[in-house]
Amino acid sequence: MSIDSKNICVSVKNLSFRYNKEWILKNISFDIRQGEYVGIIGPNGGGKTTLVKILLGLLHPTEGTIHDACENHHHLRHRIGYIPQLMADGIRNFPATVREVVSAHAMRSWTLSEKEKNAVTSALQQTGMTELQDRLIGELSGGQLQRVLIAHALVGNPKILILDEPTLAIDLSGKEEFYQFLEKINREQGITIIMVSHDIDTVAKQVKHVLCVNQNLVCHGPPKSTMTPTALENLYGKERSAVDHTAIHHH
């Protein structure tokens, strides 16, 4: 698929990563366009988390390059909002209100400037959490808490939002609403979203572009045309792929 280079936000070329003597990722190349909604799927141990850590600048590739074309920098991390797996569980018992948690990202000193206060207010509005801003975070549902974490990230005005398994702590009834919310901020704010997920059925329905990672980049492109039986078999093995592919094409 040809991509207009003017719209490319992240460009990964021939990326490989080795830990000790073991290759975790091998010769991966892809482009992500500004404003795109991308899913990363693959088996446990396939390299998804390693790839995210490289995008964040927490790890450096053994070979290859990552270029941030959005800002003309080689380090993406200053323009990324990152929500790690199960972060919500980690802060749930923290005795703070919604607004206090969101404000923590903006705070450069003991008091917030007018500009920082406005950024917090805007982030609360964007995530639909204004009415709950005085609520203790321990009283929130899983979906509401994820919104707080996203609001916290939005205060930094990121170009890219990376979510690692964002619905693990959300019950089934809250998941659909949360995914609708992600689609809305992607559409309305123009923020590039990269979501790591084990739920390939959901990914197929939600994202516009999928990266299938199992050491190599097994496939990438629009979900319906990319996640074929052959591709899923290469990614997960025969038994799993047959079930998942049936689920994808019955929606």
Side-chain angles (χ1 to χ4, degrees), residues 8-24:
I8 292 174
C9 194
V10 181
S11 187
V12 173
K13 301 292 184 200
N14 307 119
L15 183 145
S16 297
F17 181 82
R18 185 174 59 202
Y19 182 72
N20 292 333
K21 292 184 179 179
E22 183 185 358
W23 288 99
I24 311 297

Side-chain angles (χ1 to χ4, degrees), residues 176 200-208 223-224 247-248 251:
E176 189 66 32
I200 74 167
D201 181 25
T202 298
V203 167
K205 289 188 290 181
Q206 294 293 329
V207 306
K208 304 293 187 293
K224 286 281 170 73
I248 289 166
H251 285 284

